[in-house]
Amino acid sequence: MGPARTPPRVFFLTTLIAAIVASSAAALSLTVGLPVWAMFVGWIAFYTRGLTTRSTFENLGCVGLGLAIGLLASLALPRVAAMTGPGVALPLVVLVVAFQVVSLRGLPAMNNLLAYFLGLVTWFAAHLEPTVASWLHLFVATAIGSAAGWIAHRLPARMARGDRPDRHRA
């Protein structure tokens, strides 16, 4: 629903909720020592496809696999450079990685090409040591962002429908 067809009150409430959720996710990321920019990569990944709970997990999974492929590529680069020279190593590793990632678009699920590339970009932009701990560091940041995107999308819709927990249930 675009702003032209959204009542001003709903538009404002949706915007306010998104801003509060973004601020909270940024604060959480800072508190636990995660890069806020990587949290926003997860938020972006949420909005690339689906906007459902299932697609939230699939998109985040694609980001996580993109991060892992980036980690493996960064481990392969020095080894390939030792065999071919640095001028050949990077294009060769990029060829293999791009072929692999673009091929994943044919999977029946987990086929979000954009989310895979978001994971790769996040990995290489972070300039971290290629370790599982580094992967986990970035994955948790993107997971916070994906969760924040899901909350920012779902909460206004639930409020507009009047979905509220029944306080009288035991």
Side-chain angles (χ1 to χ4, degrees), residues 62-151:
C62 292
V63 170
L65 287 173
L67 288 167
I69 293 167
L71 183 153
L72 294 173
S74 62
L75 288 171
L77 262 171
R79 290 165 177 77
V80 174
M83 295 185 299
T84 65
V88 175
L90 183 62
L92 187 56
V93 170
V94 169
L95 172 72
V96 171
V97 166
F99 186 85
Q100 180 183 28
V101 169
V102 175
S103 294
L104 294 172
R105 78 188 190 286
L107 293 174
M110 300 284 292
N111 56 13
N112 187 339
L113 187 58
L114 183 55
Y116 282 112
F117 278 110
L118 284 170
L120 281 168
V121 167
T122 301
W123 177 261
F124 287 105
H127 300 288
L128 297 175
E129 290 296 316
T131 65
V132 173
S134 296
W135 177 89
L136 187 60
H137 182 77
L138 293 173
F139 183 76
V140 171
T142 58
I144 290 170
S146 289
W150 182 85
I151 291 167

Side-chain angles (χ1 to χ4, degrees), residues 34-89:
L34 299 171
V36 174
W37 66 266
M39 177 276 296
F40 278 112
V41 169
W43 189 303
I44 294 165
F46 168 78
Y47 281 102
T48 60
R49 181 184 295 170
L51 305 181
T52 65
T53 302
R54 178 184 168 152
S55 64
T56 301
F57 286 106
E58 286 184 2
N59 296 342
L60 180 59
C62 292
V63 170
L65 287 173
L67 288 167
I69 293 167
L71 183 153
L72 294 173
S74 62
L75 288 171
L77 262 171
R79 290 165 177 77
V80 174
M83 295 185 299
T84 65
V88 175

Side-chain angles (χ1 to χ4, degrees), residues 4-17:
R5 298 190 338 231
T6 303
R9 179 182 160 281
V10 173
F11 184 84
F12 175 78
L13 184 62
T14 300
T15 304
L16 179 62
I17 289 170

